[in-house]
Amino acid sequence: MSQVAAATQLSPAVARRFLLTLVQLGYLRQTDRRFVLTPTVMEIGASYPDSMNLAEVAQPFLQPVRDETGDSVSLTTLAGDDIIHLAHVQTERMRRFAVTPGSRVPAYVSASGRAMLAFLPQDRLDGHLADLDVEQRTPYTVTSVADLRERLAEVRRKGYALVVDELDMGITVIGVRS
């Protein structure tokens, strides 16, 4: 109790009242003269991530990349056979690929998807590719699993994926995994 009083700059009596209130609420347990955190204390911090808007958190990282390159920038995640756009900063250019948070694109034809697939553990990648149904979206779309494996090996070597005209004509995308 004296440590809490000193750390909070409260009088020992006020610190004791606070500690006893936290015991009553289930956040602390008193053992002899010591106070110990309980697992219930996790509830205090658990709501913080739920209250965060991912786009707001990602914006300060995505915006400078968009400003420097002049190109759209997205934060994505792998979800089954697709990537899902979690946050996106649109380019100011006339030619754009319509992306909104929550939009999905097949991972095999996406640069960010390839960047994530390339670094999956081998057994997960094999499982993913075994069930993959590829669709030729443009004349340049990789439709062979063997060719896709070669591209993914190249991504592993280079550390990034480059997809040109495979998703849609005129769309060039670079993907990196962090």
Side-chain angles (χ1 to χ4, degrees):
M1 190 172 353
S2 60
Q3 290 174 328
V4 171
T8 59
Q9 298 180 346
L10 297 172
S11 71
V14 172
R16 178 175 168 70
R17 283 194 298 271
F18 276 117
L19 290 170
L20 292 175
T21 299
L22 291 171
V23 168
Q24 273 187 326
L25 293 172
Y27 296 116
L28 296 177
R29 183 180 71 241
Q30 188 173 1
T31 306
D32 297 324
R33 303 197 78 199
R34 298 181 59 90
F35 292 87
V36 181
L37 296 173
T38 67
T40 308
V41 79
M42 295 301 293
E43 292 175 0
I44 295 171
S47 63
Y48 176 69
D50 293 339
S51 69
M52 293 172 39
N53 178 333
L54 183 58
E56 289 176 16
V57 173
Q59 182 78 20
F61 300 96
L62 300 178
Q63 188 71 45
V65 176
R66 196 289 306 263
D67 292 346
E68 188 171 322
T69 65
D71 293 320
S72 297
V73 180
S74 293
L75 173 66
T76 63
T77 190
L78 190 61
D81 290 341
D82 298 334
I83 56 129
I84 297 177
H85 290 266
L86 302 174
H88 183 76
V89 179
Q90 191 71 265
T91 184
E92 300 295 323
R93 295 184 182 149
M94 294 295 286
R95 175 83 164 117
R96 304 180 219 186
F97 186 73
V99 173
T100 57
S103 60
R104 298 173 82 97
V105 174
Y108 74 92
V109 76
S110 155
S112 61
R114 286 185 187 174
M116 288 182 263
L117 290 172
F119 291 96
L120 285 177
Q122 193 62 48
D123 59 329
R124 283 193 51 208
L125 178 60
D126 291 342
H128 178 86
L129 295 178
D131 299 329
L132 189 62
D133 183 28
V134 294
E135 170 190 340
Q136 186 164 7
R137 299 174 68 105
T138 75
Y140 302 102
T141 304
V142 172
T143 57
S144 147
V145 172
D147 289 344
L148 184 56
R149 281 186 186 278
E150 287 179 26
R151 301 276 174 104
L152 296 175
E154 182 180 0
V155 171
R156 275 192 301 276
R157 281 192 307 276
K158 291 183 174 180
Y160 67 92
L162 177 65
V163 174
V164 180
D165 295 332
E166 290 189 51
L167 178 62
D168 196 9
M169 295 302 292
I171 303 294
T172 299
V173 184
I174 296 174
V176 294
R177 176 184 158 265
S178 63

